[in-house]
Amino acid sequence: ETQATEMKQSTQVDQRSISVGVVGGGALGSFVAASLAASHNQVVLVSDWESHAQHINNHGLSIVKPSGEIETHNTIKVISQEESYNVSSLDVVFICVKSNKT
């Protein structure tokens, strides 16, 4: 019984939420941010597209799935690239920008 309990514990997935930064608010960055938010992670999206950032902050980020279902994430915080943010509070940062922006 002890061995079965140990095996069960070792196969459980860690459900800990992480803090994630996504740099680039275009299609790829928005998709990555939405996917991470759907897994209950804390997501900060950095965008140079001010109207897009304001819209997401006010209305959430909506993704249309292949089935046609619309999934909206209201927990994503969007900041402009000019705003300062303490990146040391993030567990990981994804860079999702076009090569000419790097």
Side-chain angles (χ1 to χ4, degrees), residues 33-87:
S35 298
L36 291 163
S39 297
H40 308 289
N41 294 297
Q42 299 170 3
V43 180
V44 175
L45 180 62
V46 180
S47 178
D48 64 351
W49 191 3
E50 187 61 37
S51 63
H52 187 235
Q54 287 177 354
H55 182 84
I56 294 170
N57 282 329
N58 293 333
H59 305 287
L61 176 61
S62 297
I63 300 292
V64 179
K65 293 182 168 188
S67 65
E69 176 188 356
I70 298 175
E71 185 177 272
T72 301
H73 303 278
N74 295 313
T75 59
I76 298 170
K77 176 182 175 157
V78 185
I79 61 173
S80 72
Q81 63 185 10
E82 286 82 24
E83 291 181 64
S84 62
Y85 189 82
N86 183 5
V87 295

